[in-house]
Amino acid sequence: MKVEKISEHIWSIQSWMLIPVRIWLVADEEGITLVDAGMPFMAKGAAKTIDSLGAGPLRQIVLTHGHSDHTGSLPSLLERYPGVPVYAHEAEIPYMEGQTLYPRRKKLEQNVAPGLAKPLLQDEHGKLAKVASLTPYFTPGHSPGHVVYYHEADQVLLAGDLFTSKRGNLHRPMPMFTADMEEAVRSSLLLRDIQPKRLEVCHGGPVLNPADQLEAYLQKFAAKR
């Protein structure tokens, strides 16, 4: 397992499962927010890192979505840190709790115990509220309730499976596991508004100034349709 400080307030924890799997720790004055929970075997390394940073307690866990490679260590982490809340988009919760079939899947998936995750808070206009120092954005497509998290001060976008990447270049999310590729590509347009300096994905390395690649990314998708 590899731990890397990627900005002033954010650490990346990476392991491998044929492909890279990344989760992130974000520190602020109140403690630590864990973004995604990775695979079950990542729990020990994540907890060791949380406890060794000296950045305060684990305050909450936020999920980009509910697929098993993003939720696997939740049971072990919550046993170690009882009472820590878990948040996901309200649209994702029925799928990850096994109440509703994920699009293009053949079987229900109960990746998170029913009632465990709370919906991310929204204002009266449906805009997602900040979680500590992170601003969530609804980016459906890879899954029905996919969310990305932007750290404005560090200008880092924690993008889950909105993209994959290779050698610093943007690539589509994995088609086999993506519910609606056209919707996922539409969700990528938020890069124009946010203009992050660094984008992090679960499966792949960082992409610097990703908005500069957006037009080429969109053209490549159009050519493959």
Side-chain angles (χ1 to χ4, degrees):
M1 188 171 289
K2 178 181 178 182
V3 179
E4 178 185 5
K5 188 173 185 180
I6 62 171
S7 68
E8 183 178 354
H9 301 95
I10 304 174
W11 288 259
S12 165
I13 301 176
Q14 177 180 333
S15 192
W16 288 263
M17 180 191 62
L18 300 178
I19 56 174
V21 178
R22 294 177 188 266
I23 59 178
W24 302 275
L25 300 175
V26 182
D28 62 23
E29 62 275 6
E30 295 185 358
I32 293 173
T33 299
L34 173 64
V35 180
D36 282 342
M39 298 295 292
F41 58 80
M42 298 178 73
K44 185 176 180 180
K48 181 179 179 180
T49 306
I50 290 167
D51 295 344
S52 67
L53 286 181
L58 179 63
R59 303 292 296 193
Q60 59 257 319
I61 300 170
V62 296
L63 302 176
T64 60
H65 62 298
H67 289 170
S68 60
D69 56 334
H70 296 255
T71 61
S73 72
L74 281 177
S76 295
L77 288 173
L78 294 175
E79 184 176 346
R80 185 180 182 94
Y81 305 103
V84 169
V86 178
Y87 296 98
H89 195 280
E90 64 178 4
E92 187 77 3
I93 291 174
Y95 296 92
M96 68 188 196
E97 289 185 348
Q99 302 173 34
T100 305
L101 186 69
Y102 271 113
R104 303 183 61 226
R105 300 292 179 92
K106 295 181 179 180
K107 296 181 179 180
L108 292 170
E109 299 179 28
Q110 190 180 97
N111 298 327
V112 177
L116 177 65
K118 301 177 182 180
L120 289 163
L121 296 179
Q122 302 181 26
D123 64 20
E124 65 273 18
H125 304 293
K127 182 179 179 181
L128 294 172
K130 288 188 72 171
V131 181
S133 54
L134 296 170
T135 301
Y137 290 88
F138 184 43
T139 52
H142 179 69
S143 73
H146 193 282
V147 172
V148 299
Y149 297 90
Y150 184 50
H151 194 288
E152 187 172 358
D154 291 7
Q155 295 183 270
V156 175
L157 182 64
L158 305 177
D161 284 356
L162 180 58
F163 304 95
T164 57
S165 69
K166 188 174 183 180
R167 293 192 290 272
N169 294 311
L170 290 177
H171 288 265
R172 296 185 302 166
M174 296 180 187
M176 181 183 302
F177 302 109
T178 296
D180 186 330
M181 187 63 75
E182 289 195 14
E183 187 174 42
V185 171
R186 285 195 299 272
S187 289
S188 72
L189 296 175
L190 94 161
L191 291 180
R192 289 176 178 164
D193 298 325
I194 297 177
Q195 297 283 326
K197 287 187 176 180
R198 181 183 180 113
L199 180 143
E200 290 273 316
V201 297
C202 178
H203 307 301
V207 178
L208 303 181
N209 300 309
D212 294 347
Q213 298 186 28
L214 183 58
E215 292 307 318
Y217 174 80
L218 296 173
Q219 291 174 13
K220 186 184 296 185
F221 174 74
K224 289 183 178 181
R225 292 174 61 184

